[in-house]
Amino acid sequence: MRWAPDARGRLERAAFDLFGEQGYAATTVPQITARAGLTTRTFFRYFADKREVIFGGDEIPRAAARLISEAPPELEPIDVIRLVLDEVAATRFDGRREETAAWRRMINADDSLRDRDARKRADLVAAARTAFVDRGEAQRSATIFAETGALIFHVALDAWLAEPEARPMGDTIAEIMTWVCVRRLEGTPLGS
Amino acid sequence: MRWAPDARGRLERAAFDLFGEQGYAATTVPQITARAGLTTRTFFRYFADKREVIFGGDEIPRAAARLISEAPPELEPIDVIRLVLDEVAATRFDGRREETAAWRRMINADDSLRDRDARKRADLVAAARTAFVDRGEAQRSATIFAETGALIFHVALDAWLAEPEARPMGDTIAEIMTWVCVRRLEGTPLGS
DNA sequence: CTCGTCGATGACACGGCATGTCATCAACGG
DNA sequence: CCGTTGATGACATGCCGTGTCATCGACGAG
């Protein structure tokens, strides 16, 4: 069993299987590693803690930062956000609506996973902010654009998962984006 | 020592003192309770976990929800946000800039506190969303307004703490709000 | 083919976190 | 004066997460 391939994958599969059978909180790390044929200590070599096996490390922040930095330089930030979110929606969520919903249900059912989920959003914002700064945005506006992108994404994901009929997530994103706008300083503030 | 008054307050003070002396991670719950003259078990009767002693329970979400529900009904949501944030800034942050900065530094220095901090923001959003729904907003727009309020507040707090000279936090908030706007559906989306 | 290196895993110990359970004690009302 | 009630102490327990060192397989050098 030692040196069997894909230790990380085996741990992930064993974990998700057990979480589905018993729930997240009721599943212990020794249970996961026993099913994967590894020791408890090895689990913590692949995942910083039990929560991390649910989330994909820093894959999502990395992907978002890459997409932002690869966007055409002449695009306005809000259009960069649109571009990135459409790409993410099409490649990572369309066609996986039910799995995604189950994933969100599991997170929302456990307090410690809700903590980590919120933290992951903050990490995404931080990565996106850096990417906007690299595009030449000032610190403050980069932060606001990054936060706004995360806001739209989160609201759109929740809404998309709650819809009765499956449709491309990009449609939901487009609807949400008609509600939210971000302006540069010379724009007129609303509601003053 | 048993039945001495204000057990919760003693625990909070002992905790903050020790966190200041040794740092958060290096301080154990038994250390805190020993200084407060209580037992470890009692700590967990007042705080759900070691992190919670840093944050004020659900006091902030409750205060925000109350302020939103007490705002004049004729106000636009963005003006409700302005009203609430100005009130919070004036009563809870102005004059406590250095303490607040130290508090934020402690949170940012520890991973588990960053998790919880992000979660607290999500809790605030949830409470504000409910309050906006009670004002008659639709679920989706209530969510967006609540998220936007939290966004403005977080960005403004960071910016305010980073400023070289102390000034009313409301000034910083006003600046941030000139950058961000939220429109109802009939408004024109920007950047399309 | 053999050996030495190197990275991955096992084995073990350990402290802290968090919770369940029951006993104990002070306050308070009758 | 006593019984009730709520807060606290005392104790046991299980899991989480980490440090440390031994061990094993893969792989390249000779």
Side-chain angles (χ1 to χ4, degrees):
Chain A
M1 192 70 84
R2 215 182 193 182
W3 277 210
D6 196 20
R8 185 188 182 97
R10 279 186 291 148
L11 287 169
E12 280 176 347
R13 280 187 294 277
F16 274 92
D17 289 350
L18 285 164
F19 294 162
E21 296 168 15
Q22 318 173 334
Y24 171 82
T27 302
T28 68
V29 174
Q31 280 180 319
I32 297 168
T33 53
R35 182 168 297 201
L38 295 164
T39 59
T40 302
R41 189 66 184 85
T42 299
F43 179 92
F44 292 104
R45 292 194 174 99
Y46 285 97
F47 305 99
D49 54 44
K50 186 178 155 191
R51 296 161 218 99
E52 277 299 296
V53 76
I54 304 292
F55 304 91
D58 59 348
E59 190 194 352
I60 289 165
R62 284 192 170 279
R66 184 176 49 77
L67 287 170
I68 292 170
S69 63
E70 289 174 354
E74 68 273 13
L75 281 187
E76 288 294 315
I78 189 70
D79 293 312
V80 174
I81 292 172
R82 186 189 319 276
L83 196 71
V84 170
L85 294 190
D86 281 342
E87 172 73 11
V88 169
T91 61
R92 298 181 115 89
F93 290 95
D94 281 342
R96 300 183 187 181
R97 188 156 166 271
E98 198 39 59
E99 306 158 53
T100 306
W103 180 63
R104 297 303 305 173
R105 275 194 299 273
M106 185 166 78
I107 292 170
N108 287 326
D110 185 273
D111 267 350
S112 69
L113 292 179
R114 288 159 65 104
D115 279 26
R116 181 57 50 83
D117 182 56
R119 161 64 177 282
K120 289 295 180 180
R121 174 174 169 174
D123 289 346
L124 170 61
V125 168
R129 175 178 53 217
T130 301
F132 274 119
V133 169
D134 291 344
R135 278 177 60 94
E137 292 292 331
Q139 287 283 344
R140 180 174 298 188
S141 55
T143 304
I144 294 174
F145 289 127
E147 288 270 8
T148 303
L151 188 163
I152 294 167
F153 176 70
H154 243 250
V155 173
L157 181 59
D158 268 7
W160 181 66
L161 292 176
E163 288 165 2
E165 295 287 323
R167 60 167 175 167
M169 188 177 163
D171 296 358
T172 308
I173 291 173
E175 284 183 17
I176 303 291
M177 288 193 76
T178 63
W179 285 68
V180 181
C181 68
V182 183
R183 297 206 159 170
R184 296 175 176 282
L185 193 52
E186 61 271 19
T188 308
L190 186 81
S192 55
Chain B
M1 190 70 81
R2 214 181 194 184
W3 273 232
D6 195 21
R8 183 189 184 98
R10 278 186 291 149
L11 286 169
E12 280 176 347
R13 280 186 293 277
F16 272 92
D17 289 349
L18 285 164
F19 294 161
E21 295 168 14
Q22 318 173 335
Y24 170 82
T27 303
T28 69
V29 174
Q31 279 180 321
I32 297 168
T33 53
R35 182 168 295 200
L38 295 164
T39 58
T40 301
R41 190 66 184 85
T42 298
F43 179 93
F44 291 104
R45 290 195 176 99
Y46 285 97
F47 306 99
D49 54 45
K50 187 179 157 192
R51 296 163 217 98
E52 277 299 297
V53 76
I54 305 292
F55 305 92
D58 59 348
E59 189 194 354
I60 289 163
R62 283 192 169 280
R66 185 176 48 77
L67 288 170
I68 292 170
S69 63
E70 287 174 355
E74 67 274 15
L75 281 187
E76 288 295 315
I78 189 70
D79 293 313
V80 174
I81 291 172
R82 185 190 321 276
L83 196 71
V84 171
L85 294 190
D86 281 343
E87 173 73 12
V88 168
T91 59
R92 300 181 114 90
F93 291 93
D94 281 341
R96 301 184 186 179
R97 188 156 165 272
E98 199 39 58
E99 307 159 52
T100 305
W103 180 63
R104 296 304 304 174
R105 276 195 298 273
M106 185 167 77
I107 291 170
N108 287 325
D110 184 273
D111 265 351
S112 70
L113 292 180
R114 289 158 64 104
D115 278 28
R116 182 56 49 85
D117 182 56
R119 162 64 178 281
K120 289 294 180 182
R121 174 174 169 174
D123 288 348
L124 170 61
V125 168
R129 176 178 52 218
T130 301
F132 274 120
V133 169
D134 291 345
R135 278 177 59 93
E137 291 292 331
Q139 286 285 343
R140 180 173 298 186
S141 55
T143 303
I144 294 174
F145 289 128
E147 288 271 6
T148 302
L151 188 162
I152 294 166
F153 175 69
H154 243 251
V155 172
L157 180 60
D158 268 7
W160 182 64
L161 293 175
E163 288 165 1
E165 295 286 323
R167 61 166 174 168
M169 189 177 163
D171 296 358
T172 309
I173 290 172
E175 284 183 17
I176 302 292
M177 288 193 76
T178 63
W179 285 69
V180 181
C181 67
V182 183
R183 297 207 159 168
R184 295 175 178 281
L185 193 52
E186 60 273 20
T188 307
L190 187 82
S192 54

